[in-house]
């Protein structure tokens, strides 16, 4: 599996792009058609409302005369209006879903074309240790590796994506992820529907971070048992007096006065408690009932058929045991629906009656906090599985969109890093130039020389990005790649931080010292260290630079590190300390005569 492209129905990225364009057009047409239906039904809905209102007014004015015709007509018109409202709402939901699909496939097209401005930039900040590598290789930010995985949107998926990009996985973990990615790459319908639901959930007013914060917080009502018992007692008393009033068990005057007193007490209680109670409800779900979106997501993951052991583990994490995510989130969805009665246009009057007669919100909050106490220990595991599924789906999307990319074989038995036809994964497919690359074994270095703009820096960035992709389990931009597990460090773009009183030269020296120190740490624990350095120590004269660069590289090689660096100093290859431990490659250029003049290529 590792040295072969993922075999699927699409032979190259252009065929994938065509599929995305067809889907984009299909859903764009659906948006237009649904939009027309929505507008037409808006007029029908408004017309029915006016006519129904007129019929009701006519029935009222005809009191004392023949009113049956008016009220029958009004009843039919009101029913017709309610049916129109329901259909209109359904079309609106379909319209929103189609718009989401248009946006989704539009971004998929942009990703294939590397149109970075049309893609969301994941809100991820690298750790201080990883920040230099991120700046050097474009791991985070615009036109970055993270943006290539921009289908990850949820608050649980983004931190995990960042962790996978910054932390190399073990060879066993890499293989487990690769198996899951193969299954997801081949299962486009499931993957795309899952990612669409993740986008919708992430865009909702109540994100998973607020929900997860609530689930671990202590309950509010459980700490006020007197208030809960007060709500129970007043609810029983109100019910008794109302039943007594209509049944005649209690004198009408006594029952009426008592009921009014209880309604007043409940009203005052509502005034003093509704702010806190509704704040808690808002932390769980808004009026859109985001819980339903997670019910759909967990349902999708629970129903995923896959031969991958990792996907099987994620499925079991949310479906096994009496406290499964499917049952728990389904119950929570019912609680949230009842809590949203106060926002429901038709059922709002029913909510007012339940609240002032029985303190409905407090009983519902008690049910919610009992749910919280029961599932508190499981919710974080559910969402961890959801986040991992989302990141794996994103890696599956990258594999699907690049049928000719392959999985790297990461194994401690490999002494060298070897790649055939390796290219820069962030460059547009049609302009990418690929090269064979071989660096290692430990204690050796590859010196890259060549003309300006010949691609030396791009080669190092290509290698660094593909190392990161390989060690997170993703496909790599190469025909074949073998590598040992490594700790990667780079020095390519150094900031001249004048505000901190640090010159460019001093900033570069500090970065090189960090790399050398890091190589010692890695060697101390028996790891393999790889370095990529681009035109280092440019801020000094050629003689001093030659001596300094040679000294830095020798220290790294003495720590059994391996890697590559670019330079214009051809004499470094003949340095006494580097000569036997180095291999030189040169980027050549050629000129071709065209109708527009001579063109230089590398």
């Amino acid at each position: 599996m590792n040295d072969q492209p993922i075999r699927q129905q699409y032979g190259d990225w252009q065929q994938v792009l065509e599929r995305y364009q067809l889907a984009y057009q299909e859903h764009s047409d659906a948006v237009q058609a649904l939009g027309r239906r929505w507008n037409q039904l808006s007029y029908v809905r408004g017309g029915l409302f006016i006519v129904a209102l007129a019929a009701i007014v006519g029935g009222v004015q005809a009191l004392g005369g023949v009113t049956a015709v008016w009220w029958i007509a009004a009843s039919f018109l009101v029913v017709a209006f309610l049916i129109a409202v329901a259909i209109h709402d359904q079309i609106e939901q379909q319209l929103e879903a189609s718009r989401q699909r248009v946006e989704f496939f539009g971004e998929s097209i942009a990703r294939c074309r590397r149109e970075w401005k049309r893609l969301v930039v994941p809100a991820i900040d690298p750790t201080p240790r990883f920040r230099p590598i991120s700046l050097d290789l474009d791991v985070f930010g615009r036109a970055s590796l993270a943006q290539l995985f921009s289908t990850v949107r949820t608050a649980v998926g983004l931190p995990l994506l960042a962790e996978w990009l910054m932390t190399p996985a073990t060879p066993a973990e890499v293989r487990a992820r690769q198996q899951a990615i193969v299954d997801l790459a081949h299962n486009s319908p499931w993957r795309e529907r899952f990612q669409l639901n993740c986008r919708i959930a992430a865009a909702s007013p109540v994100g998973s971070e607020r929900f997860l914060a609530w689930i671990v917080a202590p309950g509010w009502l459980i700490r006020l048992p007197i208030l809960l018992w007060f709500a129970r007692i007043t609810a029983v008393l109100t019910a008794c007096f109302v039943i007594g009033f209509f049944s005649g068990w209690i004198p009408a005057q006594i029952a009426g006065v008592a009921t009014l007193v209880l309604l007043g007490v409940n009203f005052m209680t509502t005034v003093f408690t509704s702010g806190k109670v509704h704040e808690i409800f808002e932390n769980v779900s808004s009026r859109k009932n985001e819980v339903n979106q997670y019910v759909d997501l967990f349902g999708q993951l629970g129903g995923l058929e896959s031969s991958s052991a990792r996907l099987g583990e994620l499925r079991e994490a949310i479906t096994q045991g009496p406290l499964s995510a499917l049952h728990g989130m389904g119950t929570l969805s019912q609680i949230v629906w009842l809590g949203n009665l106060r926002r429901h246009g038709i059922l709002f009057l029913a909510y007012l009656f339940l609240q002032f007669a029985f303190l409905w919100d407090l009983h519902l909050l008690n049910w919610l906090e009992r749910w919280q106490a029961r599932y508190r220990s499981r919710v974080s595991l559910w969402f961890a599985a959801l986040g991992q599924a989302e990141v794996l789906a994103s890696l599956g999307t990258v594999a699907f969109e690049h049928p000719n990319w392959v999985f790297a074989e990461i194994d401690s038995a490999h002494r060298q890093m070897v790649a055939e036809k390796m290219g820069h994964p962030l460059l547009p497919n049609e302009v990418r130039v690929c090269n064979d690359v071989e660096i290692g074994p430990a204690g050796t270095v590859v010196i890259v020389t060549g003309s300006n703009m010949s691609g030396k820096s791009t080669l190092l960035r290509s290698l660094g990005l593909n190392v990161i992709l390989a060690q997170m389990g993703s496909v790599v931009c190469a025909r074949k790649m073998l590598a040992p597990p490594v700790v990667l460090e780079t020095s390519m773009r150094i900031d001249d931080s004048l505000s901190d009183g640090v010159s460019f030269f001093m900033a570069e020296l500090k970065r090189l010292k960090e790399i050398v120190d890091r190589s010692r740490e890695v060697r101390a624990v028996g790891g393999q260290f790889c370095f990529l350095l681009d035109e280092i120590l440019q801020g000094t004269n050629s003689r001093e630079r030659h001596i300094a660069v040679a000294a830095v590289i020798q220290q790294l090689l003495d720590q059994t590190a391996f890697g590559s660096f670019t330079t214009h100093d051809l004499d470094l290859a003949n340095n006494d300390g580097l000569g036997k431990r180095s291999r030189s490659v040169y980027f050549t250029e050629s000129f071709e005569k065209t109708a527009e003049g001579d063109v230089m290529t590398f």
Side-chain angles (χ1 to χ4, degrees), residues 114-136:
R114 299 301 192 262
E115 296 174 348
W116 303 110
K117 291 183 180 180
R118 294 177 55 193
L119 295 172
V120 171
V121 180
I124 299 175
D125 290 324
T127 59
R129 167 167 275 184
F130 194 81
R131 187 169 290 114
I133 301 174
S134 176
L135 291 173
D136 289 343

Side-chain angles (χ1 to χ4, degrees), residues 298-364:
F298 287 123
Q300 271 190 265
L301 184 55
L304 175 61
E305 296 294 334
S306 171
S307 59
S308 160
R310 175 54 50 82
L311 293 177
E313 293 169 1
L314 298 180
R315 183 174 60 245
E316 290 179 3
I318 64 166
T319 59
Q320 298 300 309
L323 301 180
S324 70
L326 302 182
H327 180 268
M329 296 303 286
T331 302
L332 181 61
S333 178
Q334 297 172 6
I335 301 173
V336 168
W337 186 86
L338 293 173
N340 280 334
L341 289 180
R342 60 192 171 90
R343 296 181 168 126
H344 200 291
I346 297 176
L347 298 178
F348 176 69
L349 294 177
Y351 165 76
L352 290 180
F353 169 75
L354 292 171
Q355 177 61 24
F356 294 136
F358 306 108
L359 291 176
W360 172 259
D361 283 347
L362 291 179
H363 298 292
L364 204 61

